Amino acid sequence: MCGIVGYLGNREAVPVLMQGLKQLEYRGYDSSGVGVLHRKKIKVIKEQGKLEMLERKLTDKLNTNIGIAHTRWATHGGVTTENAHPHSGPEGKVAVVHNGIIDNFSNLKEELQAKGNVFLSETDSEVVAHLVEEYIDLGPEQAVSKALSRLDGTYGMLFLFRDHPEMIIGARNGSPLVIGIGQEEMFLASDALAFAGFTQHAVFVDDGEMVILSNKDYRVVNRQNIQINKNVEELDMSSNIKDMQGFPHFLLKEIFEQPKSVFRAMGRGGRLLPDFGTALLGGLNMEKRDFYDIRKIHILAMGTAMYAGEIGKYIIEDLTRIPVEVSDASELCGINPIVEKDTLFVAVSQSGETRDTIAAVQEIKQKGGRVLGLLNAVGSTMARMTDGGAYIHAGAEFSVASTKAFTSQVTVLALMALMIGRTRDISLTRGKELVQELMDLPDKITSILEKADEIKKMAERIKDHHSVMYMGRGINYPVAMEAALKLKEVSYIHAEAYSAGSLKHGPLALICEEIPSVFICTSGDYQEKTISNIQEVRARNGRVLVISNYEDDTLRKVADELFVVPSSDSLLSPLLTIVPCQLLGYYTALALGRDIDQPRNLAKSVTTD
Ligand code: F6R
């Protein structure tokens, strides 16, 4: 889950590397470090804590044009300066930064210790630096290649060599690596975001490949040392520069960006065909007749993306009558999942790098399944391994807690449902209605954001409780799940979601004055039943906050607090009801003084098992 970046060129390397680390900080933020060539030595500066701690240590100007850097999310070894990267070999001839996990590191460590090597950290990564140094007399390329052949596990790694001042070597197996090609300068990083602002030209490295970088050139070879010709891709990085644009936190900025990001998910309107009452997602690479053959849709995702998938299930099933299953991707692997020819698999992921989802996609593909990707990060691992798909175009999301990606994922799932539905059952009139409803969403989200202060007041009342229940029925149940996740991950208040119908089957025992409930109660099929559930809670002294899309006397009477979003088609209501819930998470965390954009223990991209 760590971020790595390397630079070789004409600029001062340290500021470029620090800029790269800032862009990558979302991948991990418990410690960081840089390693540069300075006065014929590898100089490593690293520090435990946030990036500013490292910045404070970097007081001396180091005149150097080459270096590697790392931002860490601890796996092997605690959060200490010693365990921060880069790690060096015993004689300081090699330094490495590593993202991933080396499974067989203990055996290798014992072997090297038996030869007298002394290790300074508890990490698996330090072993790799020692191993490469062990073989360094073969030359850097051969040394890395030989060391790699002895590793089991996952890695995106960069190596710096004391005696080869114009070379960085990178290697990839299971963790992303991308080359950035500038004018007489090169970048090598775990994510193209690291060089946003320097170059748009990128080459994505695949598993089993090694990159040999100089400031003018790069070579990519496979495990047999055969040179591979790679495509240079031009990325649109315009919305990818880390900039809060006057907001106090990325989370708030990204919540407020949703009218625009949802509009982008609709291709700025270009993915909608109003006259035909349908949507067009060209990247799915599917013909009309392919849609007829689908008997089941199976969504694979984790966390917030999975809750987007759960909402997608309601929309797709309603509009297409195709049964949808949503899987927690981490639970799918190793259980020999059933892959049928007429099932369409859809991986949903913001980063496109989530290890669990990638593993599920790999397993499905090995069994011959067709997998589409609904992804945000262009050129990510999942984008390159799926059989087609659609980008959600949310723009880079820097807050660890996902918000705009969620609404964009739901929007694209709705477009997909509409597109498939129109080739099957739904009428032109219904299609047109939905297109209009979709087009109205950005303005409706804006009107919710204009009332953010109401939510701020609600947050003041939530903040002193140790636990909060979220409830909803039907399509509002996954909204409750996502809402509970938002509150817990940024405020650290325990929050749990239940279907309102399951309340009497156990969770009602929790209800008391100290545990408030948030109900998502929208007009339509479940309205009356949800009101009854709210009354059951009130009868047991439970305080109730209601997020609704209508208002009447009954609702006003049963709710201690009520927040009303604009009305919409019931299938699209989650795109509105979730917004106040995101704000509730944000303002509660703010009131409690939490580290909102970088909650404890988390990293944005979960790239380890
Ligand atoms: C929560 C959150 C996570 C991610 C999950 C999947 O706010 O961001 O639950 O949704 O880790 O990440 P992606 O979408 O990158 O696959």
Side-chain angles (χ1 to χ4, degrees):
M1 325 237 286
C2 312
I4 58 174
V5 55
Y7 175 77
L8 219 175
N10 299 323
R11 298 176 209 250
E12 222 14 83
V14 174
V16 177
L17 293 170
M18 288 306 287
Q19 161 77 9
L21 287 186
K22 273 186 195 137
Q23 291 276 122
L24 293 179
E25 213 183 356
Y26 74 92
R27 295 183 71 95
Y29 38 80
D30 60 39
S31 38
S32 52
V34 296
V36 292
L37 279 184
H38 183 63
R39 296 190 182 142
K40 302 197 169 162
K41 284 198 172 132
I42 298 177
K43 187 169 172 70
V44 170
I45 302 155
K46 51 192 188 178
E47 188 54 287
Q48 164 186 347
K50 292 278 178 64
L51 210 48
E52 54 256 32
M53 303 303 289
L54 176 65
E55 238 162 2
R56 275 187 219 158
K57 242 181 165 175
L58 287 166
T59 43
D60 298 341
K61 193 161 186 267
L62 299 167
N63 283 321
T64 174
N65 311 106
I66 177 168
I68 56 177
H70 186 271
T71 179
R72 181 168 191 247
W73 185 86
T75 54
H76 288 73
V79 179
T80 63
T81 301
E82 293 71 35
N83 288 338
H85 298 219
H87 292 287
S88 306
E91 291 179 46
K93 293 181 181 172
V94 177
V96 66
V97 289
H98 169 217
N99 170 31
I101 293 178
I102 304 302
D103 296 327
N104 61 337
F105 87 100
S106 336
N107 292 346
L108 294 168
K109 193 169 180 174
E110 276 169 25
E111 177 190 315
L112 290 160
Q113 277 169 329
K115 290 183 179 173
N117 289 36
V118 176
F119 288 86
L120 306 176
S121 79
E122 303 153 294
T123 64
D124 51 343
S125 317
E126 190 183 3
V127 173
V128 184
H130 281 235
L131 204 56
V132 174
E133 208 164 286
E134 176 86 0
Y135 304 129
I136 199 68
D137 290 345
L138 300 171
E141 235 179 290
Q142 282 306 312
V144 171
S145 183
K146 185 146 188 202
L148 295 182
S149 71
R150 302 207 51 205
L151 303 182
D152 293 335
T154 55
Y155 49 81
M157 284 192 289
L158 305 180
F159 298 93
L160 187 66
F161 305 91
R162 185 190 68 190
D163 303 328
H164 299 270
E166 287 178 358
M167 176 189 271
I168 290 175
I169 291 184
R172 171 188 166 140
N173 187 46
S175 300
L177 200 60
V178 52
I179 308 169
I181 304 168
Q183 294 283 345
E184 310 234 329
E185 60 181 354
M186 292 282 178
F187 303 79
L188 194 49
S190 47
D191 187 323
L193 277 179
F195 46 80
F198 293 106
T199 177
Q200 315 242 59
H201 301 284
V203 171
F204 290 93
V205 181
D206 287 303
D207 279 348
E209 292 179 347
M210 204 166 99
V211 183
I212 301 99
L213 207 69
S214 71
N215 61 347
K216 291 201 180 73
D217 210 355
Y218 67 92
R219 249 180 332 114
V220 180
V221 295
N222 65 13
R223 287 202 175 102
Q224 290 71 43
N225 202 23
I226 296 170
Q227 191 163 335
I228 315 278
N229 289 325
K230 309 283 289 181
N231 285 340
V232 179
E233 297 182 32
E234 190 162 345
L235 308 177
D236 176 8
M237 311 278 265
S238 47
S239 60
N240 289 350
I241 305 288
K242 202 171 173 186
D243 177 3
M244 283 208 250
Q245 291 168 357
F247 284 90
H249 297 98
F250 279 105
L251 181 56
L252 192 64
K253 178 198 164 227
E254 287 160 9
I255 292 172
F256 270 77
E257 213 179 310
Q258 291 176 109
K260 284 192 184 138
S261 53
V262 163
F263 186 54
R264 284 199 298 269
M266 296 188 278
R268 299 188 156 87
R271 284 174 164 178
L272 294 173
L273 305 177
D275 291 344
F276 299 94
T278 191
L280 188 66
L281 295 171
L284 301 192
N285 296 335
M286 290 175 80
E287 305 283 326
K288 233 178 177 182
R289 65 171 179 280
D290 297 326
F291 294 141
Y292 296 132
D293 296 337
I294 305 170
R295 293 279 162 271
K296 181 179 163 186
I297 293 176
H298 193 153
I299 296 174
L300 320 165
M302 296 302 299
T304 287
M306 185 179 76
Y307 298 140
E310 295 279 3
I311 291 169
K313 169 183 163 76
Y314 283 88
I315 308 175
I316 297 168
E317 288 189 344
D318 189 283
L319 296 180
T320 69
R321 309 311 298 152
I322 299 172
V324 180
E325 185 178 346
V326 183
S327 286
D328 170 326
S330 69
E331 288 292 311
L332 200 77
C333 293
I335 59 157
N336 195 12
I338 296 167
V339 176
E340 285 170 321
K341 214 167 76 268
D342 45 16
T343 297
L344 176 66
F345 291 87
V346 182
V348 183
S349 173
Q350 187 284 125
S351 61
E353 301 294 349
T354 299
R355 179 82 202 126
D356 294 311
T357 314
I358 290 176
V361 172
Q362 272 162 345
E363 186 145 353
I364 303 298
K365 285 192 63 89
Q366 264 159 23
K367 290 177 168 234
R370 174 184 206 145
V371 189
L372 300 181
L374 299 192
L375 310 168
N376 194 32
V378 176
S380 54
T381 303
M382 268 183 248
R384 285 171 304 112
M385 64 195 291
T386 42
D387 302 301
Y391 283 118
I392 60 167
H393 298 305
E397 198 178 54
F398 289 105
S399 159
V400 164
S402 184
T403 52
K404 62 174 180 167
F406 173 80
T407 43
S408 296
Q409 284 157 348
V410 174
T411 304
V412 175
L413 283 161
L415 298 187
M416 194 174 126
L418 177 58
M419 184 177 168
I420 302 176
R422 281 285 290 125
T423 64
R424 293 178 152 230
D425 279 347
I426 65 165
S427 67
L428 177 62
T429 315
R430 175 79 177 118
K432 283 185 170 179
E433 223 173 76
L434 281 164
V435 167
Q436 188 56 52
E437 288 275 352
L438 281 159
M439 292 197 304
D440 292 344
L441 284 170
D443 286 346
K444 289 182 181 175
I445 297 174
T446 302
S447 74
I448 298 170
L449 296 170
E450 283 165 0
K451 298 196 295 177
D453 278 351
E454 283 182 38
I455 299 288
K456 198 171 182 177
K457 286 185 197 135
M458 287 186 178
E460 277 302 318
R461 286 186 276 277
I462 287 274
K463 75 172 202 306
D464 297 322
H465 294 272
H466 61 85
S467 189
V468 179
M469 311 258 283
Y470 280 82
M471 276 163 288
R473 281 175 180 262
I475 201 165
N476 294 330
Y477 176 33
V479 176
M481 293 196 259
E482 170 58 9
L485 178 61
K486 284 293 90 84
L487 184 75
K488 75 181 115 182
E489 69 184 325
V490 292
S491 75
Y492 316 152
I493 292 177
H494 173 255
E496 226 45 76
Y498 298 97
S499 72
S502 71
L503 193 60
K504 288 196 279 289
H505 299 273
L508 199 57
L510 293 172
I511 298 296
C512 59
E513 237 175 296
E514 289 75 42
I515 301 187
S517 301
V518 179
F519 273 85
I520 321 296
C521 174
T522 50
S523 60
D525 291 349
Y526 292 115
Q527 181 179 335
E528 297 305 324
K529 284 187 173 180
T530 311
I531 298 280
S532 302
N533 298 133
I534 295 174
Q535 266 156 344
E536 285 155 13
V537 170
R538 287 290 303 270
R540 285 152 185 90
N541 296 326
R543 281 191 70 77
V544 177
L545 270 71
V546 179
I547 309 291
S548 177
N549 63 356
Y550 74 98
E551 193 172 2
D552 64 12
D553 283 347
T554 318
L555 199 57
R556 271 191 293 270
K557 227 162 95 195
V558 295
D560 290 297
E561 321 240 2
L562 176 64
F563 186 91
V564 184
V565 304
S567 65
S568 68
D569 190 280
S570 61
L571 292 179
L572 302 178
S573 66
L575 289 158
L576 303 175
T577 49
I578 194 60
V579 179
C581 300
Q582 296 168 338
L583 288 167
L584 189 62
Y586 172 77
Y587 285 121
T588 308
L590 186 70
L592 291 168
R594 303 297 192 223
D595 192 347
I596 293 180
D597 285 331
Q598 297 178 332
R600 68 184 179 203
N601 307 337
L602 300 181
K604 185 146 187 75
S605 243
V606 184
T607 54
T608 53
D609 288 316

